[in-house]
Amino acid sequence: MTEGSDRPAVSPLGDLYPPATEAEVRELEAGLGVELPPSYRQFLLFANGWGSDDDCRLLRIEETGWLRDVDPPLAESWSAPKPENSWSVPDELYFVYGPEQDSIRYRGEYVPDTLLIGYWDDGAVLLNPHVSSAEGEWEAWYLAPWLPGAKRYRSFWDLAMDELRLRYPG
């Protein structure tokens, strides 16, 4: 509680849900048919979701799922080929992260197979199992109507750290 208030103190991370159990994480993995990337798995074991605002939150285990199943219209709208998008983006253009990345260089054919893990502002936070590291991390995406594609990160950890830097500069 904050001093002189009957409201709980809010951490810099916002509203974190209690941790998921190892059994709950395993059940999610079994239902999805995959092993979750380590940084996202660790997040769930630390907090089973984040945020109380419907427009800016990471989903709880029971809300998480393949985009094609959880939000079919969103999956369809982002995976439908558009003239400015090439689904055959060459690796040398696709595997660019950070400030040099061109968000239009995403692979729309991956969209239905991404794991929906959250909503930020007017966009979706996704994990892409088609691109994974030797450590088992999956590429993380932020898709929003105002982006000409997807802002991509090497992992959930990289996406989360970028978001924290934006929210709490300095």
Side-chain angles (χ1 to χ4, degrees):
M1 300 286 215
T2 57
E3 195 170 324
S5 169
D6 60 351
R7 295 186 56 210
V10 177
S11 80
L13 297 175
D15 300 321
L16 293 171
Y17 288 91
T21 65
E22 180 66 32
E24 289 171 323
V25 173
R26 283 191 194 140
E27 187 177 325
L28 174 63
E29 290 175 326
L32 296 170
V34 295
E35 189 173 305
L36 293 171
S39 61
Y40 180 61
R41 194 176 205 288
Q42 281 303 117
F43 169 76
L44 292 173
L45 292 170
F46 175 75
N48 183 11
W50 165 80
S52 58
D53 180 350
D54 283 345
D55 291 335
C56 194
R57 64 194 183 102
L58 290 174
L59 302 174
R60 300 181 70 206
I61 281 180
E62 56 270 18
E63 302 169 293
T64 300
W66 299 118
L67 186 62
R68 66 181 173 263
D69 300 329
V70 176
D71 196 339
L74 184 64
E76 187 176 319
S77 70
W78 280 99
S79 62
K82 298 170 182 66
E84 68 273 14
N85 294 341
S86 170
W87 291 167
S88 58
V89 174
D91 286 355
E92 62 271 10
L93 296 174
Y94 184 84
F95 292 107
V96 176
Y97 300 95
E100 300 82 31
Q101 181 185 132
D102 181 353
S103 64
I104 202 162
R105 307 267 189 220
Y106 80 105
R107 293 177 174 164
E109 68 270 23
Y110 292 167
V111 173
D113 298 332
T114 57
L115 186 66
L116 177 64
I117 63 164
Y119 294 102
W120 288 348
D121 302 320
D122 57 352
V125 181
L126 307 164
L127 296 177
N128 176 17
H130 289 281
V131 178
S132 63
S133 71
E135 297 80 25
E137 292 292 347
W138 297 359
E139 187 177 59
W141 290 13
Y142 176 66
L143 287 175
W146 51 269
L147 276 173
K151 187 167 183 185
R152 295 175 296 99
Y153 300 86
R154 287 183 174 91
S155 67
F156 170 76
W157 174 261
D158 289 351
L159 178 142
M161 291 301 101
D162 190 52
E163 182 63 20
L164 283 174
R165 280 190 290 278
L166 288 172
R167 287 179 183 274
Y168 306 103

